[in-house]
Amino acid sequence: MATSDPMLNETLLLLGGAVLAAPIFKKLGLGTVLGYLAAGIVIGPILRLINDPKEVLHVSELGVVFLLFIIGLELKPSRLWQMRGDIFVLGTAQVVISGFLLTGLAWLVGLSSWQGSIIAGFGLALSSTAFALQILADNGEGNTAYGRRSFSILLFQDLAIVPLLALVTLLGAGATETSTFFRDFGVAAAAVGLLVLAGRYLLTPMFQVIARTGAREVMLAAALLVVLGSAIIMQLAGLSMAMGAFLAGVMLAESSYRHELEADIEPFRGLLLAMFFIAVGLSLELGAILDNLLLILLGVPAFMIVKALVLYGLSRLWGSTHQDAASIAALLPQGGEFGFVLFTTAVAAGLLTPATSSLLIASVTLSMALTPLGAALTRRFLVREKREELAEDFDGAGADVLMVGFSRFGQIAAQILLAGGSDVTMIDDSADRIRQASAFGFRIYFGDGTRREVLVAAGIERAKIVAVCTHKPEITDKVVNMIRAEFPDVRLYVRSYDRIHTLSLRAREVEYELRETLESGLLFGRKMLEGLGTSEAQAAEIGDDIRKRDEERLQIQAAEGLTAGLHMLHTRPVRPEPLMKPKRAPILDPRDAAEQADTL
């Protein structure tokens, strides 16, 4: 009888662990990261079902690479320049001060020689990009002030791995090899320059050529080629693979293909990042921890406290509030994945013994495991300024239309309904908005439309139509998903953010959706045509044609993907009927077109 492939068995174990652990820990409020870690610890050190965790860790590090690429896509060079103070001043201060303090701590406890203590100290000064960013993503705090500042510090730490690896060479080889530092620095700088030039002059033309083929799988292959190729180039130059992917993402941040690339890479990023966290759990050496239990029990909290105090103090000096500084300190006190690389290199250079390296790696891994718990406790006990809430009182609620969200869009739509003699129950979670609406005579209730009990109290079971008019797409999606799951027969009319959101809503079979800027953009364009001398009838006819084309293109995109229907876009001034079809398809990313002119 044929036996199964061991690699296939290990893959099934990893996937099974992720599928079982993530929902359980998410339900317990501990976050998916801790769930993946726990799954890895059970599969590896406890049950010993996988014998080579280092190989799994090596492959799964691509999750960090893809993560940095996607982050780079969201950071235009101009925005990155605005962050330069946080990156190069705050980041430098954190690495240098934490590094010297932890070096002294390692020297005092007799961990290694002074050279080894320097490598240990600066290695522990680096934090885990993967853990910190995943925690921010799980809590939706990536765009907060402390989230952006944390990312800036992490970005500098990724840059710092280059001089730190050079420092290993200097300390290991002695003064006769000091010239290698300048050589390595020159190679790294040349590689960065090469990647910047390639991103500026080669990547966009390459994607233009690929887009003409219309082959979805070729675009996906090109996305993977760009990410992995840039990562390998940086690795060969002595930089981290994640830094190479980040730079490639930044170079494509202003490209019309960035949304397509993000959609292609996202599934790989999520899966491989989950595998990375599991692999960290797999590589936890319980034997080394037990053999040095006292040292680890004292050492891990000690170096995490030192880093947290440095992070808090520097953040406060740099202008962060107490709450933000405390959040940064709780998010970044752990060791990082680049510490693994640094300690392994130090062993090869003779600066650290294998036993000391294993002890440091175990300490870093344990600090990673403690970080999600520390961040969760900080969020729970940290006193933040809370948004004002009102008592939920739904006395008298219940009408033909239940409107969730009463911002500008909802207010205009409600005027039509009220003028037509229909009753509307309106709910919103902004106390200020409710007070303002009440001052104008509207009957509006305070309540969170993402909660089932609130919708029931507001009369969703009696409503003929539910109108979701919230202005944030993520909140809209949360409301729609909950209603579809709990009240599948409800007729949903939904405010859409852009055409990508429209396609997503149609896939969930809402009865009607409308992009928030579509009709106003069409009317605005018609009035401009009239101002240029086009007759009112001709302008209206052109506007109707654009609306028809938009609907037809949406239907094509729903069936064939985002790159479909490009031939229906006008890329030159519209002329009165008969409309002339462009001779060739424009090279545009549909999502970018939607951002630049949402009526397209």
Side-chain angles (χ1 to χ4, degrees):
M1 181 179 295
T3 58
S4 60
D5 189 340
M7 183 177 294
L8 180 60
N9 293 339
E10 292 183 357
T11 303
L12 289 174
L13 280 172
L14 296 173
L15 293 174
V19 169
L20 289 174
I24 294 174
F25 277 73
K26 189 73 173 177
K27 187 71 174 178
L28 294 174
L30 299 175
T32 56
V33 173
L34 203 56
Y36 296 138
L37 271 175
I41 292 171
V42 171
I43 294 172
I46 295 178
L47 299 181
R48 299 187 179 278
L49 298 176
I50 293 181
N51 297 321
D52 191 8
K54 291 184 179 178
E55 187 65 29
V56 177
L57 184 62
H58 180 69
V59 175
S60 62
E61 283 176 351
L62 290 176
V64 184
V65 172
F66 288 136
L67 173 65
L68 266 293
F69 177 73
I70 289 177
I71 290 173
L73 287 175
E74 301 297 330
L75 279 177
K76 295 181 180 180
S78 58
R79 185 181 170 194
L80 197 60
W81 178 249
Q82 292 173 355
M83 298 166 59
R84 65 190 183 279
D86 287 349
I87 296 172
F88 294 106
V89 178
L90 186 59
T92 301
Q94 184 274 323
V95 170
V96 172
I97 295 175
S98 297
F100 278 119
L101 289 176
L102 294 174
T103 294
L105 187 62
W107 173 251
L108 287 175
V109 300
L111 189 66
S112 182
S113 62
W114 68 268
Q115 295 97 328
S117 296
I118 291 176
I119 300 305
F122 278 87
L124 293 176
L126 305 178
S127 303
S128 174
T129 301
F131 271 75
L133 294 182
Q134 185 66 34
I135 291 171
L136 287 173
D138 284 349
N139 298 309
E141 296 173 334
N143 286 323
T144 60
Y146 99 86
R148 292 191 298 270
R149 184 152 285 180
S150 298
F151 173 71
S152 299
I153 295 171
L154 290 167
L155 184 56
F156 180 81
Q157 290 179 358
D158 289 348
L159 290 170
I161 192 64
V162 182
L164 288 178
L165 287 174
L167 183 63
V168 171
T169 303
L170 290 174
L171 294 176
T176 58
E177 298 292 333
T178 54
S179 61
T180 60
F181 171 79
F182 298 101
R183 183 191 65 194
D184 292 343
F185 181 82
V187 170
V192 171
L194 177 65
L195 192 58
V196 169
L197 290 174
R200 190 173 183 86
Y201 298 108
L202 295 180
L203 293 184
T204 296
M206 181 186 77
F207 283 113
Q208 288 177 346
V209 173
I210 293 171
R212 291 193 185 101
T213 67
R216 171 82 174 169
E217 65 278 5
V218 179
M219 184 66 79
L220 176 59
L224 293 174
L225 176 64
V226 167
V227 178
L228 297 178
S230 57
I232 294 298
I233 290 173
M234 290 296 102
Q235 186 184 46
L236 292 175
L239 285 157
S240 68
M241 291 196 299
M243 180 53 57
F246 174 77
L247 287 175
V250 171
M251 291 300 100
L252 288 167
E254 294 180 333
S255 166
S256 57
Y257 301 97
R258 70 182 187 277
H259 297 300
E260 187 77 18
L261 291 169
E262 184 174 351
D264 288 338
I265 294 298
E266 181 62 32
F268 296 95
R269 179 207 67 84
L271 180 60
L272 286 171
L273 203 56
M275 294 301 104
F276 172 79
F277 297 132
I278 293 178
V280 171
L282 288 173
S283 60
L284 190 65
E285 297 185 14
L286 295 182
I289 292 175
L290 293 175
D291 292 341
N292 302 276
L293 188 59
L294 181 60
L295 182 58
I296 288 178
L297 288 178
L298 295 175
V300 171
F303 91 75
M304 293 181 73
I305 289 171
V306 168
K307 285 184 68 175
L309 291 175
V310 171
L311 286 162
Y312 177 84
L314 290 174
S315 298
R316 290 288 282 159
L317 288 174
W318 200 243
S320 293
T321 63
H322 164 70
Q323 291 87 350
D324 285 348
S327 297
I328 294 171
L331 184 69
L332 303 179
Q334 77 290 119
E337 50 272 5
F338 294 126
F340 299 157
V341 178
L342 196 63
F343 299 146
T344 304
T345 307
V347 171
L351 297 176
L352 294 174
T353 64
T356 302
S357 175
S358 296
L359 179 61
L360 289 170
I361 290 173
S363 299
V364 168
T365 307
L366 186 59
S367 71
M368 288 179 174
L370 293 174
T371 299
L373 287 174
L377 290 173
T378 302
R379 283 195 308 275
R380 177 163 296 184
F381 294 109
L382 192 63
V383 178
R384 289 187 179 272
E385 182 180 349
K386 293 185 177 180
R387 183 174 56 179
E388 181 184 4
E389 294 187 358
L390 303 177
E392 293 180 351
D393 179 12
F394 296 98
D395 184 35
D400 290 342
V401 176
L402 171 60
M403 181 174 288
V404 181
F406 198 60
S407 56
R408 293 168 298 171
F409 187 97
Q411 292 166 18
I412 296 171
Q415 285 289 291
I416 302 293
L417 291 167
L418 294 172
S422 297
D423 290 331
V424 186
T425 296
M426 310 160 196
I427 62 174
D428 200 288
D429 62 352
S430 169
D432 288 336
R433 194 174 295 138
I434 287 173
R435 273 194 290 268
Q436 293 167 4
S438 299
F440 287 97
F442 289 103
R443 177 79 176 192
I444 182 170
Y445 300 89
F446 178 85
D448 182 356
T450 64
R451 292 166 51 198
R452 182 185 187 280
E453 61 270 23
V454 168
L455 294 178
V456 171
I460 190 172
E461 295 171 325
R462 299 188 297 278
K464 296 178 181 178
I465 289 176
V466 174
V468 183
C469 300
T470 47
H471 63 282
K472 291 185 178 180
E474 60 271 20
I475 300 299
T476 300
D477 289 340
K478 198 172 181 180
V479 175
V480 169
N481 291 338
M482 193 273 294
I483 292 177
R484 272 285 164 258
E486 299 292 338
F487 310 97
D489 297 326
V490 163
R491 299 172 62 191
L492 273 175
Y493 282 54
V494 185
R495 169 190 184 178
S496 169
Y497 178 70
D498 58 13
R499 69 186 308 108
I500 301 299
H501 196 207
T502 287
L503 292 170
S504 172
L505 290 170
R506 291 189 178 191
R508 283 171 279 180
E509 300 179 347
V510 302
E511 184 167 332
Y512 180 78
E513 53 73 32
L514 179 67
R515 296 204 302 282
E516 57 191 15
T517 57
L518 176 62
E519 291 299 328
S520 58
L522 286 172
L523 179 59
F524 194 74
R526 281 173 48 191
K527 291 301 180 183
M528 285 192 290
L529 272 181
E530 292 173 20
L532 292 172
T534 304
S535 70
E536 184 176 349
Q538 285 179 314
E541 190 174 1
I542 290 174
D544 292 340
D545 180 80
I546 295 297
R547 186 186 290 105
K548 179 182 176 183
R549 284 170 175 267
D550 181 84
E551 178 58 30
E552 290 175 355
R553 192 159 71 93
L554 282 170
Q555 294 177 10
I556 294 172
Q557 288 177 316
E560 301 178 16
L562 294 176
T563 56
L566 291 177
H567 64 281
M568 305 191 72
L569 283 172
H570 283 290
T571 56
R572 56 189 179 191
V574 180
R575 298 175 182 175
E577 289 287 339
L579 296 174
M580 301 299 292
K581 182 178 179 180
K583 294 180 180 179
R584 62 186 181 87
I587 308 304
L588 289 175
D589 183 302
R591 185 159 182 173
D592 250 316
E595 279 192 353
Q596 296 166 12
D598 200 31
T599 59
L600 293 182

